[in-house]
Amino acid sequence: MQALTSSGAVVVGFDRSERSRRAVRWAAAEAASQHRPLLLVHVLNWPADHHPKALLPGEETLLGPLQRMLQRELDELTADCRSEVDLEVRSALPLGDPAEVLGRLALDAAELVLGGPLLGRESGVLGSTAADLLARRGGAPLVVVRQKADRRISGSAPVVVGIDGSQASPPVIGFAFDFASRHRCPVRAVHTWSDLPRELLDRMRNWELSGDELMNDARAVLDSSLAGWVQRYPDVEVHCVVTPEKPAQTLLEASGDARLLVVGSHGRGRVHRTFLGSVSHAAVTRAPCPVAVVRTS
């Protein structure tokens, strides 16, 4: 059997839910805009945690029909994607742990796309597979497609990007500008005072900076972070937002009319750098639009 590869592809996880079907449609459009192949993956997490070669007696009679049913469903999705956009589409039905399999594929993929948690009562609950993948270091940007089925966006809906001015910002900003250029939409760059470098925050606590000075420093951090990207993408219109409000709430409010919210995966401090940052976690569990989490560690 040929090894499953994802090199350069947009990989989308499919679990038969309606939200994962929306993720497939989103991923197909994204792959077409990048002129990349699309790989549809349904990871069959067979109840017995073992390799198919070690199936227990009688399990073959259950596994075979299930695999054929799922493959037919993947084939239908593949045909639907090909009929809507002109791109190369493949599908795969590996056995294993979904987070482990998708995590390996993400190492060589261009993007990994998943359906997001439900909105409403379950808006704060993230599936275990997505949560596990988000906590991993390295790999392709992870896009969580979370939005209501009837949500409509305008042609001018922006890409919102959170910028903290750290050395981890460039890949986050680059992803946002590249997406905006391909989809012909503006960028809304958001920077909050609480994301200022630590030395400036220390000065503020010691009353060495006035409010106006702090605002000017915040604008300077944002301007410096965007330097070069505006020149590289002259077709992208940029709107800047600088505010003293908390990062997570500011980004959620700024993304109300957005087509995509882009954040980094890192947090601040020794503990937060080990796990998904609090801003990223808030985004993927509460944002009204798809969220791209770009690896920054």
Side-chain angles (χ1 to χ4, degrees):
M1 182 180 294
Q2 187 176 5
L4 179 58
T5 62
S6 58
S7 180
V10 174
V11 177
V12 55
F14 175 64
D15 64 5
R16 306 186 71 220
S17 67
E18 182 54 38
R19 56 185 182 273
S20 75
R21 291 180 185 276
R22 289 198 292 272
V24 168
R25 291 191 289 271
W26 192 97
E30 178 68 356
S33 73
Q34 296 187 47
H35 306 288
R36 293 182 179 275
L38 177 68
L39 176 59
L40 308 180
V41 182
H42 180 107
V43 183
L44 181 53
N45 191 13
W46 191 241
D49 185 16
H50 50 57
H51 192 274
K53 289 183 179 179
L55 288 175
L56 296 175
E59 282 193 315
E60 296 94 334
T61 60
L62 297 176
L63 181 59
L66 178 59
Q67 287 176 310
R68 288 191 289 273
M69 180 198 71
L70 293 172
Q71 189 58 59
R72 284 195 298 270
E73 196 160 2
L74 282 174
D75 290 343
E76 292 175 1
L77 269 179
T78 298
D80 289 344
C81 290
R82 288 173 177 160
S83 68
E84 294 182 8
V85 290
D86 182 19
L87 79 164
E88 175 189 344
V89 187
R90 296 182 290 128
S91 67
L93 185 59
L95 272 73
D97 176 78
E100 290 295 330
V101 174
L102 293 173
R104 288 195 299 270
L105 292 175
L107 294 176
D108 296 320
E111 289 179 32
L112 174 60
V113 183
L114 298 176
L118 298 175
L119 300 182
R121 290 184 303 172
E122 300 181 36
S123 62
V125 179
L126 191 62
S128 59
T129 297
D132 190 354
L133 288 166
L134 283 165
R136 293 169 183 252
R137 293 178 180 271
L142 174 59
V143 179
V144 179
V145 180
R146 49 169 293 113
Q147 60 184 16
K148 293 181 179 179
D150 59 352
R151 184 176 187 260
R152 297 289 182 266
I153 58 172
S154 68
S156 60
V159 175
V160 175
V161 56
I163 301 173
D164 66 7
S166 70
Q167 294 181 348
S169 291
V172 179
I173 300 171
F175 186 96
F177 270 82
D178 177 70
F179 185 95
S181 179
R182 287 185 283 106
H183 293 273
R184 300 180 181 180
C185 61
V187 163
R188 183 178 295 158
V190 178
H191 179 67
T192 68
W193 285 12
S194 57
D195 270 338
L196 284 173
R198 187 177 299 278
E199 60 270 17
L200 290 179
L201 290 175
D202 289 341
R203 290 172 61 193
M204 178 188 70
R205 294 188 187 99
N206 294 329
W207 300 101
E208 296 178 15
L209 283 176
S210 67
D212 289 342
E213 288 176 307
L214 195 59
M215 178 63 82
N216 290 336
D217 281 324
R219 288 172 176 157
V221 168
L222 184 56
D223 289 343
S224 176
S225 299
L226 293 173
W229 296 106
V230 174
Q231 289 73 24
R232 187 179 302 183
Y233 293 92
D235 58 317
V236 176
E237 183 180 355
V238 181
H239 305 281
C240 296
V241 177
V242 178
T243 173
E245 304 301 324
K246 294 182 178 180
Q249 189 58 39
T250 299
L251 287 171
L252 292 174
E253 293 175 355
S255 61
D257 62 343
R259 69 177 64 231
L260 181 70
L261 171 59
V262 185
V263 295
S265 63
H266 70 291
R268 293 191 179 279
R270 293 180 181 177
V271 175
H272 287 96
R273 289 187 188 279
T274 306
F275 304 99
L276 182 66
S278 59
V279 173
S280 306
H281 185 271
V284 297
T285 56
R286 296 168 55 196
C289 63
V291 178
V293 180
V294 181
R295 314 295 180 173
T296 57
S297 57

